[in-house]
Amino acid sequence: MNPVIGGIPVQYLLGLAGILFSIGVLGVLIRRNIVIIFMSVELILNSVNLVFVTFSKALSHINGETIVFFVMAIAAAEAAVGLALVIAIFRHKKSTNVDELQSMRW
Amino acid sequence: MDEIIYMNLETSPSLLLFVFFGTVTVITALSVIFQKNPVVSAVSLVFTFFSLAGIYGIMGALFIATMQVLVYAGAIMVLVVFVLMLLSQRAETMSRYRKHPIRLVLLSVFVLGFFFLLYSALTTGVPHTEQMGKGYENAEYSFPIQGTSTVNAKGNVATVGASTYLDYLLPFEMISILLLVAVLGAVILAKKKLTEVDQTKDTVL
């Protein structure tokens, strides 16, 4: 395992990925706009991509970078379906506030 | 492991670039979740994606950096901004938890603890493989062709492409089917029903 990737220590990259993941989780928790929550999920996916590339370089194995490609494709599919759902919900409820989407609350 | 890191700290220009791009990434990511206007959040997210592409470039993952700019900063952000422009957004969209300082502190403590748990798990729980894997040394990837000996692929893009189309051919085809299904589902979800068109002529969408 290489502890340094091109002059950058692995710990710094993992720390940056962890900070990004935590910011994404905080955004999902404190925001009410459904599009902002969607952007926070994109931040989480990007931090996972950074971890994949870091370990691909640190463990000298190319498969991590290949998996990042699949993560990006799945994120694109999720963006298409999720934003279509946002449009459908907005047409139905006239709102993008997740606090007002309570019709499935028991 | 530690002495190598401290030895390289002052001599590497790529570390300075990493510090710059990492700072831009964190600041713009915080701006994404704390801005009131969702369009400003979207623009901040574009900057986050570009600086992450810069970090991938420093690490030598050129194919991933290119795809980051093309897919995330291009395609997905166009979708997000398109939807933001379609919907009529109100200004205040922060959660009610933010109005109570104790709840905000509790949430922040939870997220900070989550971060340290994640960080310690990532830095200590990795299995240290002793053998070198394929595809990294001199950016070369030797793959077997049926009937002949192995063939080498050189360069980052060629190695990632060889790995995609040889080791991950079935997942690649499944991803294409998934994208087709997702696009069809998005069209079905977002289109109006034909019976609703006459009654809702004057609504926003």
Side-chain angles (χ1 to χ4, degrees):
Chain A
M1 177 171 176
N2 308 323
V4 174
I5 303 167
I8 310 169
V10 169
Q11 281 92 340
Y12 291 5
L13 291 162
L14 293 182
L16 178 64
I19 289 171
L20 263 188
F21 196 99
S22 305
I23 289 173
V25 171
L26 190 65
V28 171
L29 284 177
I30 71 170
R31 291 307 293 254
R32 288 188 299 183
N33 189 340
I34 194 166
V35 185
I36 305 281
I37 290 175
F38 176 80
M39 290 190 219
S40 302
V41 173
E42 296 288 331
L43 280 181
I44 292 172
L45 286 173
N46 269 279
S47 79
V48 171
N49 281 349
L50 187 57
V51 171
F52 268 125
V53 175
T54 303
F55 282 140
S56 167
K57 294 297 186 189
L59 301 176
S60 303
H61 208 285
I62 200 68
N63 286 358
E65 295 184 40
T66 312
I67 290 173
V68 169
F69 175 66
F70 293 127
V71 172
M72 283 183 185
I74 288 175
E78 178 238 342
V81 175
L83 293 173
L85 272 175
V86 169
I87 289 179
I89 289 171
F90 182 77
R91 185 181 299 141
H92 189 63
K93 303 284 275 189
K94 297 288 179 292
S95 166
T96 56
N97 192 332
V98 291
D99 286 345
E100 296 173 15
L101 306 176
Q102 295 177 345
S103 56
M104 289 180 75
R105 175 177 284 180
W106 184 55
Chain B
M1 198 162 168
D2 284 334
E3 59 270 18
I4 302 174
I5 292 166
Y6 294 139
M7 189 181 66
N8 276 319
L9 268 184
E10 65 273 11
T11 58
S12 159
S14 62
L15 190 66
L16 289 177
L17 275 176
F18 168 73
V19 169
F20 171 70
F21 281 126
T23 313
V24 172
T25 303
V26 172
I27 289 174
T28 52
L30 283 174
S31 166
V32 167
I33 68 168
F34 284 119
Q35 286 286 342
K36 278 183 181 167
N37 193 351
V39 181
V40 182
S41 291
V43 175
S44 304
L45 195 59
V46 171
F47 280 102
T48 308
F49 288 158
F50 271 114
S51 53
L52 271 174
I55 289 175
Y56 294 148
I58 296 169
M59 293 166 71
L62 302 178
F63 178 71
I64 301 301
T66 313
M67 294 303 286
Q68 176 87 13
V69 173
L70 282 181
V71 176
Y72 273 118
I76 290 181
M77 290 318 294
V78 164
L79 263 180
V80 170
V81 173
F82 185 69
V83 170
L84 279 178
M85 295 294 173
L86 269 181
L87 312 180
S88 60
Q89 298 285 336
R90 270 171 276 157
E92 171 52 42
T93 46
M94 200 64 86
S95 167
R96 65 178 185 278
Y97 292 120
R98 196 152 179 269
K99 289 177 186 141
H100 301 269
I102 299 172
R103 288 178 174 174
L104 181 61
V105 165
L106 282 181
L107 274 181
S108 304
V109 165
F110 166 71
V111 170
L112 271 181
F114 184 73
F115 163 67
F116 282 114
L117 193 69
L118 194 74
Y119 182 65
S120 63
L122 278 177
T123 47
T124 61
V126 180
H128 289 230
T129 61
E130 292 302 320
Q131 56 180 6
M132 282 297 167
K134 52 189 177 180
Y136 184 71
E137 305 308 312
N138 300 320
E140 235 174 276
Y141 181 71
S142 62
F143 51 91
I145 296 292
Q146 194 177 9
T148 65
S149 58
T150 60
V151 178
N152 285 332
K154 286 180 180 160
N156 183 260
V157 180
T159 49
V160 176
S163 172
T164 303
Y165 291 112
L166 291 166
D167 293 340
Y168 290 92
L169 185 59
L170 181 64
F172 181 77
E173 299 291 340
M174 287 168 71
I175 281 289
S176 60
I177 294 174
L178 174 77
L179 278 174
L180 176 67
V181 172
V183 168
L184 289 180
V187 171
I188 289 171
L189 277 175
K191 85 179 168 74
K192 277 187 179 176
K193 290 192 176 61
L194 286 178
T195 54
E196 290 177 1
V197 172
D198 299 332
Q199 304 140 12
T200 61
K201 219 175 290 178
D202 51 348
T203 51
V204 279
L205 287 177

